[in-house]
Amino acid sequence: RDASPHPRSKRGRPREGEGEEANVASAGGAEEEAIVEPHGVQQGQKWYEEPSILAEGEHWLALYKPPHWEVSVDSKEAAKAAERAAAAAPFEDDDEGEGDGEEAGPEQSRNKLKLHSWIRQHMAAKYPICTDPIEAFGLMHRLDAQTSGVLMCAKSYVGAYWLRLQWCSYAVDKEYVSLVHGWVDRDIREIHKRIRIDKKKAPNSRRTISTICSVGPNGKPSFTEVCTLAHLTRPAASAGGEGQVAEPERFSLVVLKLHTGRTHQIRVHMQSIGHPLVCDSKYAVEKQQADSQWCPRNFLHTFHLGFNDTPPSETLGGSAAEGEPAALSGPPVDLLCPLPADLRAVLAELQPADDASAAHHADWITGEAAKMRTFEEYLPPQASE
């Protein structure tokens, strides 16, 4: 997989002569990691891509999460372990990101692809934290089952608590790319709308069977930044009236930056401004059937995570040289992950509406990390100052 943890002197700014020519480079002290060819697993008649390692540091792993893998710890297993240790279960707070916020029944649950099971199988022998349900087997955040992209996993307890500290203080850059319905006004830059989370429980049970979120005054404060990269069109699925030519369908390719991590935040915020995500079966029900004819899943992908690496080992151990100031954190790390093949194929069916749209459209279709930028770098000059 073509992924790039580019080195950055300041977040979003490549060092001179570095990072642009290589698809995978060391980042902020991270170990250089060879590209891992994706493998697959089969369930029934379907073949699913398997997770792979994009990059790693001394205390963390950056994984590529393919679509259809569920990122959640079994609630009973985590709760029992947490109860034994008098600790809170992982992912208990709704503010843990763009997770599904749903649980399936026992039969459905057995048939799902579970990321924590893959981590236990492939990582537990090397990293003890990957056996620990209290620490979510090292998983640092959620992603919707249909969402692909970068997913962080700790290799050690030091890494888990260092990354969690940054997550809780909103110091991690979490950036997504999505295809939405309609042409989003390029002047729209911020969405500040409270999000309410409603969970439906199974009868006589605490088990959640569905989660639906909505914008409302009694919700939690939520903030998403938006930057429209391309206005795109697709021939109408049905012809117009007699003697009429149907207008092409309009879509926008947007990048988004989360400043809060409410459940389904991107999906709810984009729906609230009249631009629901393509193939969103929950928040664009009336469009989902038509969308599914040409888009295989919810078009949402985590393309960039940025954070500060763990401090040097001598700082963590309190052994910095006498008279020298201890480093309070490690160097910045920026992880970039291009669109996977299924979403690139969807983009290839669309036509750009103007030259600016054509340039971005072409870059994202290539699947090359060298042609990607962070959210701030996509902003027009006046917006990023």
Side-chain angles (χ1 to χ4, degrees):
R1 179 159 301 281
D2 185 6
S4 175
H6 287 321
R8 310 262 171 188
S9 53
K10 290 185 179 179
R11 185 145 306 156
R13 302 292 178 188
R15 292 180 188 147
E16 186 176 354
E18 295 182 324
E20 291 300 322
E21 59 276 14
N23 286 329
V24 176
S26 61
E31 302 167 11
E32 191 163 337
E33 176 70 22
I35 296 176
V36 178
E37 291 298 325
H39 298 283
V41 295
Q42 188 168 350
Q43 284 201 353
Q45 300 298 314
K46 293 186 177 181
W47 183 92
Y48 296 96
E49 187 178 355
E50 204 171 347
S52 56
I53 299 173
L54 298 179
E56 62 181 295
E58 182 181 0
H59 295 283
W60 52 266
L61 289 164
L63 302 176
Y64 166 67
K65 188 197 91 68
H68 311 299
W69 286 80
E70 186 179 81
V71 186
S72 62
V73 176
D74 180 83
S75 58
K76 291 183 179 179
E77 183 177 17
K80 288 179 181 178
E83 187 177 344
R84 288 195 300 268
F91 299 153
E92 189 175 40
D93 195 329
D94 284 328
D95 297 346
E96 280 294 329
E98 196 58 14
D100 280 312
E102 298 182 11
E103 294 184 17
E107 187 61 36
Q108 289 176 301
S109 183
R110 278 195 294 270
N111 295 327
K112 285 190 174 182
L113 297 166
K114 297 183 178 180
L115 213 295
H116 73 271
S117 297
W118 183 90
I119 286 175
R120 293 172 71 180
Q121 180 182 352
H122 293 86
M123 306 294 173
K126 292 179 66 177
Y127 311 118
I129 193 172
C130 295
T131 67
D132 189 344
I134 296 176
E135 296 298 336
F137 305 101
L139 288 167
M140 299 309 303
H141 56 114
R142 284 176 171 173
L143 289 177
D144 282 353
Q146 291 194 40
T147 302
S148 55
V150 187
L151 183 71
M152 294 302 297
C153 179
K155 293 165 65 174
S156 69
Y157 290 91
V158 168
Y161 284 95
W162 178 255
L163 287 171
R164 190 169 298 144
L165 175 65
Q166 294 180 74
W167 232 280
C168 292
S169 57
Y170 300 98
V172 177
D173 290 336
K174 299 169 287 184
E175 298 171 6
Y176 297 72
V177 60
S178 183
L179 186 69
V180 301
H181 284 274
W183 282 359
V184 180
D185 187 335
R186 294 182 187 273
D187 290 333
I188 294 177
R189 190 69 63 223
E190 299 182 355
I191 305 174
H192 295 269
K193 294 188 177 185
R194 290 175 173 265
I195 293 178
R196 172 179 171 170
I197 303 169
D198 295 302
K199 295 186 177 183
K200 182 180 179 182
K201 302 291 184 179
N204 303 316
S205 171
R206 297 180 60 187
R207 180 171 58 86
T208 300
I209 58 175
S210 69
T211 301
I212 190 74
C213 302
S214 58
V215 166
N218 57 345
K220 293 183 178 182
S222 308
F223 173 26
T224 305
E225 277 192 274
V226 183
C227 178
T228 301
L229 299 184
H231 287 160
L232 307 164
T233 62
R234 182 175 182 271
S238 57
E242 186 175 347
Q244 296 181 340
V245 177
E247 288 290 324
E249 295 179 89
R250 293 184 173 188
F251 301 93
S252 296
L253 184 68
V254 297
V255 288
L256 308 108
K257 182 172 184 175
L258 290 181
H259 291 270
T260 51
R262 310 305 179 207
T263 301
H264 302 167
Q265 179 172 323
I266 288 173
R267 298 160 67 185
V268 173
H269 269 176
M270 293 309 296
Q271 179 208 38
S272 75
I273 64 170
H275 298 284
L277 272 61
V278 168
C279 216
D280 190 334
S281 60
K282 179 165 289 190
Y283 299 103
V285 177
E286 70 285 357
K287 298 178 181 292
Q288 199 273 335
Q289 184 175 358
D291 288 349
S292 64
Q293 300 302 308
W294 60 283
C295 183
R297 61 180 170 97
N298 198 348
F299 198 119
L300 186 61
H301 174 78
T302 309
F303 78 92
H304 172 235
L305 283 181
F307 57 93
N308 287 323
D309 208 343
T310 50
S313 299
E314 58 270 18
T315 301
L316 291 171
S319 57
E322 187 175 350
E324 292 185 7
L328 297 180
S329 69
V333 177
D334 285 280
L335 302 163
L336 295 171
C337 181
L339 282 176
D342 63 339
L343 297 186
R344 295 202 307 271
V346 170
L347 271 189
E349 292 197 23
L350 307 179
Q351 296 297 318
D354 50 56
D355 290 344
S357 297
H360 288 300
H361 180 252
D363 285 347
W364 282 93
I365 284 178
T366 65
E368 297 177 13
K371 294 188 177 181
M372 298 174 64
R373 299 292 180 264
T374 63
F375 182 88
E376 280 74 16
E377 292 170 316
Y378 281 122
L379 292 175
Q382 66 273 16
S384 58
E385 292 177 358

